Amino acid sequence: VQLAESGGGSVQFGGFLIPFCAVSGSTHSTYRMAWFRLASGKVLEGLAVINTYGQTAYADFVKGRFTISLDNAKNTLYLQMNSLKPEDTAIYYCAAMPLEWYTLYLRPETYQYWGQGTQVTVSS
């Protein structure tokens, strides 16, 4: 399974971005996928998770601002990020775990496949 993120970039405070993650090479019909981020000097944070049935879960600190979605027909995962703040500056990664659609974990050790990341920079 290969994951490739795109759609990061630079935006001003209060702006929005929609990074996305293209999935290829998967032979599994069910899985869960998530977005994580790594900011300078901080640990990897789980942001949002979705399974192939559309069930979602979010970290408390992004609820109401970020929305995860999955287009199964296009094999693409999205993260709508609104009201961005400078503290949202980080490298954003998508991750996938085949078959385990029934657990909406946001712990990085529970994911098998990772993308290379896309940089998001928010200026004040």
Side-chain angles (χ1 to χ4, degrees):
V1 178
Q2 292 80 46
L3 307 178
E5 301 96 334
S6 294
S10 297
V11 65
Q12 291 189 327
F13 177 85
F16 74 95
L17 283 172
I18 313 176
F20 58 94
C21 172
V23 183
S24 60
S26 176
T27 59
H28 304 286
S29 60
T30 59
Y31 44 88
R32 57 178 152 85
M33 296 193 69
W35 286 97
F36 293 82
R37 70 185 183 189
L38 182 61
S40 179
K42 296 189 176 181
V43 299
L44 191 64
E45 294 181 304
L47 306 176
V49 55
I50 188 169
N51 64 19
T52 43
Y53 297 101
Q55 297 170 309
T56 60
Y58 294 88
D60 287 343
F61 58 87
V62 302
K63 284 181 180 177
R65 292 196 303 130
F66 292 6
T67 302
I68 191 170
S69 61
L70 179 62
D71 187 330
N72 287 314
K74 296 182 179 179
N75 291 329
T76 303
L77 178 74
Y78 300 91
L79 185 68
Q80 169 89 39
M81 306 192 296
N82 297 326
S83 303
L84 285 165
K85 309 171 185 178
E87 50 264 44
D88 294 315
T89 295
I91 301 174
Y92 284 69
Y93 298 91
C94 63
M97 184 63 197
L99 301 179
E100 293 186 15
W101 59 269
Y102 45 87
T103 53
L104 296 176
Y105 292 145
L106 274 175
R107 302 197 303 268
E109 66 271 20
T110 64
Y111 288 82
Q112 184 174 359
Y113 300 102
W114 292 81
Q116 81 289 349
T118 186
Q119 176 71 46
V120 170
T121 302
V122 185
S123 58
S124 58

